[in-house]
Amino acid sequence: MNRFVVYPGTFDPITNGHLDIIKRAVKLFGEIVVLVVRHPEKLPLFSLQERIKLIQKVTANCKGVKVDSLDGLLMNYVKDKEIRVVIRGLRAVSDFDYEFQMTQLNRRLYSEVETIFIMPTEEYFFLSSAMVKEIASYGGDISQFVPSAVAKALKDKFRIKN
Ligand code: ADP
């Protein structure tokens, strides 16, 4: 078992793309921590607790997945918990610039951690939480993009809002 691998993100909400990365990372490392970052500046649709609960629900059958949360700097968390590997997902070219900058900056803050990028299956190359939220907000069918518990949570959210 490897408790030293973390997969951080906003997960607002978790999608099949995130799940694809989680499963690949678990295969590689045996155990990973999915780290839900609060990110209030991103004005998430789901609260931190809701995001955590959804991840716990949809990964309940994935052995080796733990969920934790963070309200602060990733590199402080990583240092504190003696994490050795940060996992990030890499989709289309558009992710590259942001991820490149972030990895370089994180390395300046703490050089002992390695960021590893995993690509999802091509079906999920263009899938993002933002896109799923937009489709759901117009009542579109998102069942192929997210687990059913997440689809239901999105429906409930937009029903409440409308
Ligand atoms: P953040 O706000 O940190 O980018 P996200 O929840 O949007 O948080 O994404 C977390 C990580 O998962 C990022 O590395 C992102 O590139 C990756 N990711 C998001 N969607 C997908 C997807 N469809 N396929 C692969 N990786 C993804």
Side-chain angles (χ1 to χ4, degrees), residues 7-12 15-18 21 39 42 87-91 95 98-99 102 118-120 124-129:
Y7 176 35
T10 314
F11 303 104
D12 184 41
T15 68
N16 289 342
H18 293 125
I21 301 300
H39 275 317
K42 288 195 176 179
I87 300 287
R88 292 288 287 174
L90 203 57
R91 290 164 290 186
D95 275 343
Y98 175 75
E99 297 292 344
M102 193 117 108
I118 299 180
M119 285 189 205
Y124 303 138
F125 257 27
F126 298 97
L127 176 58
S128 66
S129 300

